[in-house]
Amino acid sequence: MFLNKLKLVFFFIQTINQSICVDLNNITREDIQTLEMEYPNIHQVILQQHPYYIQSRNEVLFCPLPYSHVVDDEDIPYEEGLEIINKTLTLVVSRCVNKKNYKLAYTIFLNAIESMVFTFMYRFCEFAIEMNEQLAEISFYLKNFSGKLAELIPIINREWISPEPHECILDVYKNHKSKEFKFNKFNINYKNALLNCMKLMEDKVHFLKEPNNISMNNMAVSDLERYCNMSYNFIEYRLFLAHNSTLFKYITGDIYQRKCFGCNKYSSGDSGIYFFSPCGHGWSCERCVKKIEACPVCNELITSTQGLNIQTSVSIVRESI
């Protein structure tokens, strides 16, 4: 139930207490300026060649949209002649703005955020696997990761980044028990569960140049700990919301936004709004939710429904650690 509530929050928290409105189909220069002010330390990251974020089809480069929901477009063509590789994010975005291609600029910026979030989680999974194979305790690092994940979730929520990877990690530490969360006894099932989480992210990691991007295989424990700290410090500095930024964003342009699948009417607020489990799609009004057996978006059978509840917190490690 806890994870189901988290999933609903990840998908729909941006529709409550809105103070920023962004139309995905009509991005403006002001939207980009707002985004730049909200993430002041990410501007100087360097973009790298990437098979997902820089897709080539018929000799044309495309930029995929990062949004978890279906929108009118699946991707956007890059500007002809736009230099991306080994260029700073701020330079690439400013060149798109100069061409008045605001949607491309906005999407590149969000892709950088998405890749940084996923790379951080991916690196932690790598670290946890290697530490477990070497029978080394990770409780301290797991607590740090849990705290940082709690800070990243508002960013994931508001930018519509897929919640699946961190839901997967939450499931791992819910389903695999370890005394005092040390995880210092080798467990092949624990390892495979973390590998499954990594598969959810592997296509989207390493879009940004990191200080050191090296394999953790066969590292000594001291080197693993040092590398984990470096990864943590990198994300700690680069990715955070400015203090005056709202945690909520009202996003339009979603085909399925706020529309009851049963009566085809739009909701006027958060009362009487229900989502489907386990897929997490919605909306449905209180009257129609009892009539729908399968999700109209993904056709997955509905096992339960959940009213909108945005009060939640995330913690993997117990307070006593």
Side-chain angles (χ1 to χ4, degrees):
M1 179 61 71
F2 173 69
L3 289 177
N4 283 341
K5 287 184 178 180
L6 276 179
K7 189 170 186 177
L8 300 176
V9 171
F10 298 150
F11 274 99
F12 300 109
I13 195 173
Q14 68 271 15
T15 60
I16 306 302
N17 293 342
Q18 305 98 347
S19 60
I20 295 178
C21 181
V22 176
D23 182 352
L24 300 180
N25 296 316
N26 187 30
I27 299 295
T28 66
R29 186 167 188 166
E30 288 71 26
D31 293 329
I32 298 166
Q33 290 172 338
T34 299
L35 202 59
E36 290 174 330
M37 288 187 293
E38 290 173 332
Y39 299 97
N41 287 354
I42 199 175
H43 298 175
Q44 297 305 315
V45 295
I46 298 175
L47 306 180
Q48 300 189 111
Q49 180 67 267
H50 199 279
Y52 178 81
Y53 291 112
I54 307 175
Q55 299 180 11
S56 178
R57 297 197 302 273
N58 299 322
E59 299 183 353
V60 177
L61 298 180
F62 288 89
C63 179
L65 296 171
Y67 317 113
S68 299
H69 289 192
V70 179
V71 291
D72 289 348
D73 300 311
E74 294 182 359
D75 49 35
I76 307 169
Y78 280 100
E79 287 279 354
E80 186 175 353
L82 176 65
E83 295 184 19
I84 309 164
I85 312 306
N86 293 325
K87 303 300 180 183
T88 63
L89 176 64
T90 188
L91 178 62
V92 174
V93 168
S94 65
R95 288 178 176 175
C96 293
V97 169
N98 291 339
K99 295 283 188 177
K100 297 185 178 181
N101 195 337
Y102 303 134
K103 187 169 186 178
L104 178 60
Y106 196 87
T107 301
I108 292 172
F109 203 110
L110 289 189
N111 282 341
I113 293 172
E114 179 183 65
S115 183
M116 181 172 283
V117 169
F118 285 164
T119 301
F120 175 69
M121 292 189 287
Y122 188 92
R123 282 299 192 189
F124 179 80
C125 291
E126 281 187 307
F127 168 78
I129 288 171
E130 290 300 317
M131 291 288 279
N132 186 245
E133 289 186 342
Q134 300 196 40
L135 311 182
E137 180 180 336
I138 69 162
S139 58
F140 170 77
Y141 300 97
L142 185 57
K143 183 176 181 180
N144 284 348
F145 174 77
S146 175
K148 189 59 188 176
L149 184 59
E151 294 176 17
L152 292 177
I153 282 176
I155 294 175
I156 294 169
N157 290 340
R158 75 196 299 273
E159 308 303 352
W160 281 13
I161 296 172
S162 172
E164 289 185 83
H166 61 264
E167 284 181 353
C168 182
I169 296 172
L170 286 169
D171 276 336
V172 169
Y173 288 102
K174 174 185 175 184
N175 297 329
H176 293 81
K177 304 300 181 183
S178 173
K179 186 177 181 181
E180 296 180 344
F181 284 83
K182 291 183 178 180
F183 290 92
N184 56 351
K185 294 182 179 180
F186 180 71
N187 184 332
I188 187 64
N189 293 326
Y190 167 65
K191 174 182 176 179
N192 288 336
L194 287 172
L195 286 172
N196 287 335
C197 296
M198 291 171 67
K199 288 180 181 178
L200 296 173
M201 300 177 273
E202 61 185 0
D203 292 339
K204 297 184 176 182
V205 298
H206 309 315
F207 184 33
L208 311 178
K209 185 173 289 187
E210 302 172 57
N212 287 298
N213 182 7
I214 57 179
S215 172
M216 295 189 196
N217 292 339
N218 301 317
M219 269 191 186
V221 170
S222 59
D223 291 333
L224 283 169
E225 292 175 331
R226 191 158 40 246
Y227 193 76
C228 181
N229 287 332
M230 182 192 68
S231 177
Y232 182 89
N233 292 336
F234 182 71
I235 193 77
E236 181 75 15
Y237 174 72
R238 292 294 185 186
L239 194 57
F240 73 95
L241 276 172
H243 297 303
N244 59 344
S245 300
T246 174
L247 297 181
F248 304 98
K249 182 182 288 186
Y250 178 52
I251 301 181
T252 65
D254 172 25
I255 292 175
Y256 303 112
Q257 180 188 1
R258 301 175 61 228
K259 199 171 189 179
C260 173
F261 291 119
C263 61
N264 211 34
K265 295 180 180 178
Y266 287 91
S267 167
S268 59
D270 64 318
S271 60
I273 297 299
Y274 293 86
F275 310 108
F276 311 126
S277 294
C279 67
H281 291 122
W283 312 74
S284 181
C285 69
E286 188 171 8
R287 182 179 60 181
C288 295
V289 70
K290 300 175 183 179
K291 304 175 184 178
I292 301 176
E293 296 182 354
C295 175
V297 178
C298 64
N299 294 318
E300 185 168 1
L301 290 178
I302 299 169
T303 59
S304 63
T305 59
Q306 174 67 48
L308 181 63
N309 177 3
I310 66 167
Q311 294 181 347
T312 187
S313 61
V314 173
S315 179
I316 297 173
V317 186
R318 297 176 186 140
E319 287 295 324
S320 59
I321 292 179

